[in-house]
Amino acid sequence: MAKSDRFYFDNFMAAAEYCGQAAAYLQECLTNYDYANIRQMLEKMHTLEHTADGVKHEMTAALARAFVTPMDREDMAQISANIDEVADFIEEVLQRMYVNRITTVMPEAVAFAGMIVECCRMM
């Protein structure tokens, strides 16, 4: 892998890592859920999601100025966007809990969050 190509791989890995962090934080929030703390949870989750957005923007900028890429430019942009959507959707869980004023979390939701963590680890 050429040194310049390494950026793309590292960028995908960084984006996936932020998804994993967001998933782990979601699991923590659901495990220790207290609606009184939902705003703080949302703020921290938004910071994680915003950082993931930054990684996607780095990829977009790199693809815009690259003369040759190791894969099709459109495919790389789509992969980057798809990884970023994972972080977006994870953040959306807490947003919906806030909007819908969810006060209790079912054990199945915590278990499902664990599956999301595992999926992000595999990604």
Side-chain angles (χ1 to χ4, degrees):
M1 181 181 306
K3 184 177 180 182
S4 62
D5 294 346
R6 182 89 193 163
F7 165 79
Y8 300 108
F9 176 77
D10 290 345
N11 185 277
F12 289 143
M13 292 298 292
E17 176 62 30
Y18 286 120
C19 290
Q21 290 177 24
Y25 184 62
L26 175 64
Q27 184 180 34
E28 177 186 327
C29 290
L30 296 181
T31 300
N32 305 306
Y33 190 72
D34 180 358
Y35 185 75
N37 297 325
I38 190 78
R39 286 186 185 266
Q40 293 87 351
M41 289 184 268
L42 282 168
E43 288 174 18
K44 183 173 178 180
M45 182 64 79
H46 182 71
T47 300
L48 289 168
E49 187 279 328
H50 185 69
T51 305
D53 281 343
V55 173
K56 181 183 118 187
H57 295 307
E58 288 174 5
M59 175 66 78
T60 302
L63 289 171
R65 65 180 181 267
F67 181 67
V68 176
T69 58
M71 294 171 29
D72 184 59
R73 186 182 322 268
E74 290 79 17
D75 290 344
M76 293 176 70
Q78 189 62 54
I79 291 168
S80 182
N82 288 348
I83 294 171
D84 181 62
E85 278 190 345
V86 172
D88 294 344
F89 292 142
I90 292 170
E91 178 186 29
E92 191 174 322
V93 172
L94 285 181
Q95 290 171 341
R96 286 179 180 248
M97 292 178 78
Y98 172 70
V99 168
N100 294 317
R101 296 187 173 137
I102 304 300
T103 57
T104 58
V105 174
M106 296 172 57
E108 294 84 0
V110 176
F112 190 70
M115 289 183 225
I116 295 169
V117 169
E118 183 60 21
C119 288
C120 287
R121 186 193 65 73
M122 292 171 58
M123 178 173 54

